[in-house]
């Protein structure tokens, strides 16, 4: 079986330049917010080329999934898992010479996942016990990003497991 290579022009044609640019802007702004919130403007910056590469890699993966499985929409868990994977792989948050933050991309991704998928704004506030459980989960997630071999599939199952447990609690 011969694999055909994709050009980025094909990816842009499929998703649209605006969709890709919007995702870039969204993630760039989120990363900059993280840098600002952690008061690391003197030590960290977003490498625009690495972020662009991560986003294009993400869209290539999503394109391949859609074509191979003949589906129109990808579930949010898979979307977040693939985004996390490529950001983790490309590491667009970089240290300046004065920087002293260890694992800035992993820290960003832990907060990103918590906000984007695990703790949507429309949910009820967590009890103290639920908050402790949630923070323990995020701590483990962060540890996993830092010290374990991470792939898209294990990220997806980690996120899906959390969502399943959360949904089971609702009934």
């Amino acid at each position: 079986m011969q694999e055909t290579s994709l050009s980025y022009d094909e990816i842009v044609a499929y998703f649209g330049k605006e969709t890709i640019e919007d995702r870039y802007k969204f993630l760039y702004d989120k990363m900059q917010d993280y840098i600002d919130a952690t008061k690391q403007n003197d030590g960290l910056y977003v490498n625009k080329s690495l972020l662009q590469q991560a986003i294009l890699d993400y869209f290539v993966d999503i394109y391949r999934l859609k074509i191979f499985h003949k589906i129109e929409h990808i579930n949010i868990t898979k979307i977040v898992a693939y985004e996390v994977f490529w950001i983790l792989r490309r590491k667009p948050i970089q240290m300046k010479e004065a920087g002293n933050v260890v694992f800035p991309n992993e820290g960003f991704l832990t907060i990103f996942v918590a906000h984007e998928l695990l703790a949507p704004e429309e949910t009820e506030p967590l009890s103290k016990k639920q908050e402790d459980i949630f923070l323990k989960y995020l701590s483990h997630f962060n540890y996993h990003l830092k010290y374990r071999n991470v792939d898209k599939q294990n990220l997806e199952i980690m996120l899906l497991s959390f969502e399943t447990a959360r949904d089971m609690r609702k009934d």
Side-chain angles (χ1 to χ4, degrees), residues 21-136:
E21 287 175 348
D22 287 350
R23 200 66 198 158
Y24 174 90
K25 183 176 179 352
F26 173 78
L27 287 169
Y28 180 87
D29 290 347
K30 289 287 186 185
M31 288 177 181
Q32 194 57 55
D33 289 347
Y34 170 77
I35 291 169
D36 294 343
T38 58
K39 297 178 177 44
Q40 290 295 324
N41 291 310
D42 292 336
L44 297 176
Y45 71 100
V46 179
N47 181 306
K48 294 177 181 180
S49 295
L50 291 175
L51 178 58
Q52 181 181 20
Q53 188 62 50
I55 290 168
L56 289 173
D57 289 335
Y58 158 79
F59 276 107
V60 166
D61 274 354
I62 297 301
Y63 175 82
R64 287 180 175 151
L65 278 170
K66 287 181 162 200
I67 299 303
F68 181 79
H69 293 292
K70 296 175 178 64
I71 55 176
E72 189 173 334
H73 299 287
I74 306 289
N75 69 54
I76 187 67
T77 305
K78 190 176 297 290
I79 288 169
V80 172
Y82 278 55
E83 259 180 350
V84 167
F85 174 79
W86 283 111
I87 291 169
L88 190 60
R89 181 89 182 256
R90 298 294 180 207
K91 300 196 182 303
I93 301 175
Q94 298 284 300
M95 286 189 347
K96 296 178 185 176
E97 205 169 298
N100 62 359
V101 175
V102 180
F103 302 113
N105 291 282
E106 293 79 355
F108 164 74
L109 289 169
T110 301
I111 291 169
F112 175 75
V113 165
H115 285 270
E116 295 303 310
L117 186 63
L118 304 178
E121 292 179 22
E122 61 271 4
T123 60
E124 295 178 25
L126 298 175
S127 69
K128 175 68 174 133
K129 182 180 178 183
Q130 291 169 328
E131 183 179 342
D132 289 345
I133 292 168
F134 182 65
L135 292 175
K136 184 177 178 181

Side-chain angles (χ1 to χ4, degrees), residues 113 118 132-142 155 157-162:
V113 165
L118 304 178
D132 289 345
I133 292 168
F134 182 65
L135 292 175
K136 184 177 178 181
Y137 175 82
L138 289 179
S139 177
H140 181 74
F141 184 79
N142 184 262
L155 283 166
I157 197 65
M158 285 176 69
L159 300 174
L160 186 60
S161 297
F162 184 90

